[in-house]
Amino acid sequence: MIDLRPFDSLGKFRIDWLNASHHFSFGHYVDPKRMGFGALRVWNDDTIEPGTGFDPHPHRDMEIITYVRKGAITHQDRLGNQGRTEAGDVQVMSAGTGIVHAEYNEEPDQTQIFQIWIEPSGRGFEPRWDARQFPKGDRSGDLVVLASGRAQDAGNDALSINQDAAVLGATVKAGQSVTHTLAKGRKAYLVAAAGAIEVNGVAAQARDGVAIADVETVEIAATEDAEIVLVDVP
């Protein structure tokens, strides 16, 4: 199954400082057919105006991965963590037993992010936050693991999450392709942050969602220069 979810079909939320599109039910957007995909619960596509952002608010028992598409996001939480994550880089917050955090766009221009929520493998993990630089050039033409809790990724440079899942990224030139293998019973959800792609022959534009299940080999071909984010979940 390859299910294309065009960007225009996503849930929408607009206020003066935030322009958000929701791949799955979130906040006031509720679609019984889009409540999640395996362990993937949320994929929000957010554009945040300069000098604004999300004031302190709590989370619990969720793995929250932020992929910065443009600009930068500045994180701070009540555990004392603080950091600035730039375009192409990734931050992970394991909410665990509870964490209060804020995220702001302190840049002079808009910041654009994907915020991805993955349900953890259990409850009550210790809350933590981490971020890492993943230069786009290092993942040119190949899918690179950015965050993972899979045993097969232990010991690599990926940020850790509390679930048998992985977030991968790639930049692919027009005419090139990358391949991802899905183990039996697993699912994948991918979005081109930029550019146009074909997923096993199904055409997708930038910011469209592509839900994949019951497929072993996923071939992602770039029909124009593309930046891809893929989540592999149980």
Side-chain angles (χ1 to χ4, degrees):
M1 180 208 76
I2 298 180
D3 180 21
L4 177 68
R5 301 179 177 183
F7 179 74
D8 288 346
S9 75
L10 305 181
K12 306 297 181 184
F13 178 74
R14 307 285 186 270
I15 53 177
D16 56 350
W17 62 271
L18 176 65
N19 185 338
S21 296
H22 306 311
H23 287 260
F24 302 99
S25 296
F26 185 86
H28 295 292
Y29 167 61
V30 179
D31 182 341
K33 296 180 180 179
R34 295 186 180 179
M35 296 303 296
F37 197 61
L40 174 62
R41 178 58 189 87
V42 167
W43 190 311
N44 290 344
D45 182 328
D46 294 339
T47 298
I48 305 165
E49 294 299 318
T52 68
F54 301 94
D55 290 329
H57 59 283
H59 291 284
R60 187 183 182 92
D61 291 319
M62 193 65 69
E63 305 297 299
I64 300 175
I65 301 99
T66 302
Y67 181 92
V68 183
R69 298 174 48 228
K70 175 185 176 183
I73 198 78
T74 297
H75 166 98
Q76 53 187 287
D77 62 50
R78 292 186 183 171
L79 297 178
N81 299 305
Q82 185 166 353
R84 178 177 175 273
T85 305
E86 298 182 349
D89 297 338
V90 179
Q91 67 175 17
V92 167
M93 186 178 73
S94 293
T97 55
I99 191 169
V100 175
H101 81 130
E103 290 180 314
Y104 296 111
N105 173 16
E106 297 182 349
E107 312 306 309
D109 300 308
Q110 288 180 339
T111 284
Q112 297 177 342
I113 63 173
F114 288 152
Q115 191 167 93
I116 298 163
W117 294 16
I118 296 175
E119 296 175 350
S121 59
R123 302 175 68 85
F125 288 105
E126 182 178 355
R128 58 181 171 78
W129 174 87
D130 199 3
R132 187 157 297 166
Q133 293 182 335
F134 289 97
K136 293 181 183 180
D138 291 352
R139 55 181 188 267
S140 179
D142 194 17
L143 281 165
V144 173
V145 181
L146 306 177
S148 177
R150 303 185 303 183
Q152 69 199 67
D153 298 320
N156 69 11
D157 290 334
L159 295 167
S160 176
I161 58 175
N162 295 306
Q163 179 55 274
D164 179 23
V167 179
L168 305 95
T171 55
V172 188
K173 295 291 186 181
Q176 295 182 336
S177 64
V178 293
T179 301
H180 181 70
T181 301
L182 271 181
K184 185 176 181 180
R186 296 183 69 88
K187 301 180 178 183
Y189 196 88
L190 70 90
V191 181
I197 59 174
E198 291 185 352
V199 183
N200 288 15
V202 176
Q205 302 300 311
R207 303 164 79 183
D208 291 350
V210 184
I212 305 162
D214 301 319
V215 173
E216 181 178 358
T217 302
V218 182
E219 183 176 9
I220 307 159
T223 53
E224 58 187 51
D225 291 356
E227 179 182 345
I228 301 160
V229 182
L230 180 149
V231 174
D232 181 324
V233 291

